[in-house]
Amino acid sequence: MPKFDGVQSDLTSIRFLMGGIVLTVAVLGVHMMLPARTLDLLEPGVSKHFLEAPPQAGEEAAVQWVDAGQLRWRCQYVASEKYQPCVLTYLLTGDDLSRGRDLSGFDHIELELNYQGPAPFLHLDIRNFDPRFSRLEDANSSRMHAVTLRRRDVEQPVRIKLSELNVPDWWVQMFNLPREYNQPSLDNATSLSIGIPGELTGQHHELQLRRLVLKGELISDDRVYLGILLAWLFGACAMVLRGWQRLRLSHRRQQREIDALTARTRQLRIEQENLRRLATVDELTGVLNRRGLEQSLGDMEEAAQGMSLVLLDIDHFKHVNDRHGHDCGDEVLRRVAAIVAANLRASDVIGRWGGEEFLIACQGTRVRDAARLAEKLRERVQQSEVSCTAGRLAITASFGVALSPPGGSAANALKRADEALYRAKEAGRNRVEIDRTLQSDSPTTV
């Protein structure tokens, strides 16, 4: 069965690859046959146009139509003028002169212009209104994009790429704007103009515009290629997902077998944990029992960092059992264990050493610090009360403290702590006594 599944998977991958190739070729073919995006500015109703001319200074205007219907005009300046335009301008706006056309989707302009005159160059420019700096009262403030054409360039229909248009230096210098404002952009073109630059005095120029069409791809090559790439990526992801699902099913079959083995051993682990806990934890108080304490003391001895031992004995505990019952005695043991555990460090160890005795081991501690801890625990125990059937019962405890230096014997220190505890009881109980054989209070790490 696994081998058959592998063959099926290979056949599916081959079908996917072949289908993807066929679909890619079909998309490219359809893209090539799509009609172009077109904007014919000479088509009636598409845009308004006008001739730019200086204020009339004589009987005959310097710039005038020869045949407006055929878009034929002439320019002839007899006298020198400060401003000598010979320009035909197409408005790309509606009533709002700040809202033009987005020409960024077009690639080129198809221009057919008949020119008669001595000018060596002609120019085409497009104005783009940018609300960050353009103002309606100043036509020049709209960013200009221009291209200069040689006379021989327009002797036959010419195709001008929009990428050829650049922002002229004179415009950059005039407005002195930050560099990012001088970048070509045709997303809000308000006008397109065709004319003759330079000094025109004493010259006769006659022009006729026959074709002015902007063209571009309906869907750009970049978008088509990006779509194809995304489709392949999506298909590849789908194949990977399908393969992952097949692996997941196989994994689930294997996991069921593993789960069966796990289920068989889980109960054993629980039982082992319970046995381990019962072997080292006192069931009544929840702290370590004597066996657990012995293991912890052995670990501390191996660490060779020394330790301080505090042996605690509940005062008159036999009297509590005899007078109030064993249930009350058990509650006293639980309460004392809880008080001590709540006031120890995480590294300290507490356990029930015997009937009403508890042992505390503090690794790497000065004996005076252990004595302070014992005094603190004594006060906490004295301040507490235990609720029994007969009422609230006050309890106290006696403490013996001894030091086991690095490399020393825990058993020996425990014996000296027990002797100190005995002296505490003999002295009236509810007190802390320190091992008398201790001659200095050096840190255990020394």
Side-chain angles (χ1 to χ4, degrees), residues 340-364:
V340 174
N343 288 274
L344 296 181
R345 302 173 305 179
S347 59
D348 297 337
V349 175
I350 176 179
R352 186 178 176 189
W353 188 248
E356 67 271 20
E357 285 187 340
F358 293 87
L359 178 62
I360 303 161
C362 307
Q363 189 171 25

Side-chain angles (χ1 to χ4, degrees), residues 189-360:
T190 55
S191 67
L192 186 151
S193 300
I194 300 171
I196 304 172
E199 174 65 39
L200 306 181
T201 305
Q203 299 177 358
H204 179 85
H205 307 272
E206 188 168 317
L207 303 92
Q208 182 181 9
L209 182 60
R210 296 177 177 175
R211 180 174 174 81
L212 184 61
V213 179
L214 287 96
K215 285 191 175 182
E217 295 176 331
L218 194 61
I219 303 176
S220 68
D221 290 343
D222 292 343
R223 291 186 178 182
V224 172
Y225 298 149
L226 178 60
I228 292 174
L229 176 61
L230 292 177
W232 275 101
L233 288 176
F234 177 80
C237 290
M239 290 298 297
V240 171
L241 180 61
R242 186 172 183 274
W244 176 78
Q245 289 176 339
R246 297 176 68 88
L247 288 175
R248 187 180 180 186
L249 291 175
S250 176
H251 172 73
R252 283 181 176 177
R253 290 194 295 267
Q254 296 175 359
Q255 189 62 43
R256 284 194 292 268
E257 297 175 0
I258 295 174
D259 290 342
L261 293 175
T262 302
R264 296 189 191 102
T265 58
R266 185 179 295 115
Q267 188 61 36
L268 285 176
R269 292 175 181 171
I270 294 174
E271 293 177 0
Q272 289 175 351
E273 181 63 22
N274 289 336
L275 289 174
R276 187 196 66 78
R277 187 176 182 279
L278 290 174
T280 59
V281 176
D282 180 61
E283 185 176 359
L284 176 63
T285 61
V287 298
L288 294 176
N289 58 20
R290 188 169 187 133
R291 181 177 179 180
L293 280 170
E294 289 173 346
Q295 292 178 1
S296 297
L297 293 176
D299 293 340
M300 289 184 178
E301 280 186 349
E302 291 181 3
Q305 295 180 0
M307 72 187 87
S308 294
L309 301 182
V310 179
L311 194 59
L312 176 159
D313 184 86
I314 301 174
D315 297 332
H316 304 296
F317 183 74
K318 185 176 183 304
H319 176 73
V320 172
N321 276 336
D322 294 342
R323 184 172 180 180
H324 302 286
H326 288 282
D327 289 342
C328 184
D330 291 346
E331 184 61 30
V332 169
L333 290 171
R334 284 192 289 266
R335 183 60 183 276
V336 171
I339 292 172
V340 174
N343 288 274
L344 296 181
R345 302 173 305 179
S347 59
D348 297 337
V349 175
I350 176 179
R352 186 178 176 189
W353 188 248
E356 67 271 20
E357 285 187 340
F358 293 87
L359 178 62
I360 303 161

Side-chain angles (χ1 to χ4, degrees), residues 62-105:
V63 180
Q64 59 182 319
W65 288 109
V66 175
D67 186 343
Q70 295 296 320
L71 297 177
R72 185 176 179 182
W73 77 99
R74 70 183 176 194
C75 304
Q76 186 172 10
Y77 289 87
V78 178
S80 179
E81 299 284 349
K82 181 178 180 180
Y83 174 53
Q84 295 184 332
C86 185
V87 177
L88 174 62
T89 297
Y90 279 83
L91 288 177
L92 305 178
T93 64
D95 295 334
D96 186 354
L97 299 180
S98 66
R99 296 177 63 86
R101 289 179 179 267
D102 184 2
L103 303 184
S104 58

Side-chain angles (χ1 to χ4, degrees), residues 308-315 336 339-341 343-345 348-350 358-362 365-383 395-403 417 420-421 424 429-435:
S308 294
L309 301 182
V310 179
L311 194 59
L312 176 159
D313 184 86
I314 301 174
D315 297 332
V336 171
I339 292 172
V340 174
N343 288 274
L344 296 181
R345 302 173 305 179
D348 297 337
V349 175
I350 176 179
F358 293 87
L359 178 62
I360 303 161
C362 307
T365 303
R366 296 173 184 268
V367 73
R368 66 180 180 186
D369 294 334
R372 289 195 192 99
L373 173 62
E375 183 61 29
K376 176 182 176 181
L377 296 175
R378 186 194 67 77
E379 293 176 356
R380 294 288 189 274
V381 171
Q382 184 179 11
Q383 294 168 359
I395 55 176
T396 61
S398 301
F399 297 79
V401 181
L403 173 68
L421 175 61
R429 293 184 172 82
N430 191 25
R431 59 185 292 118
V432 176
E433 288 290 338
I434 301 175
D435 173 24

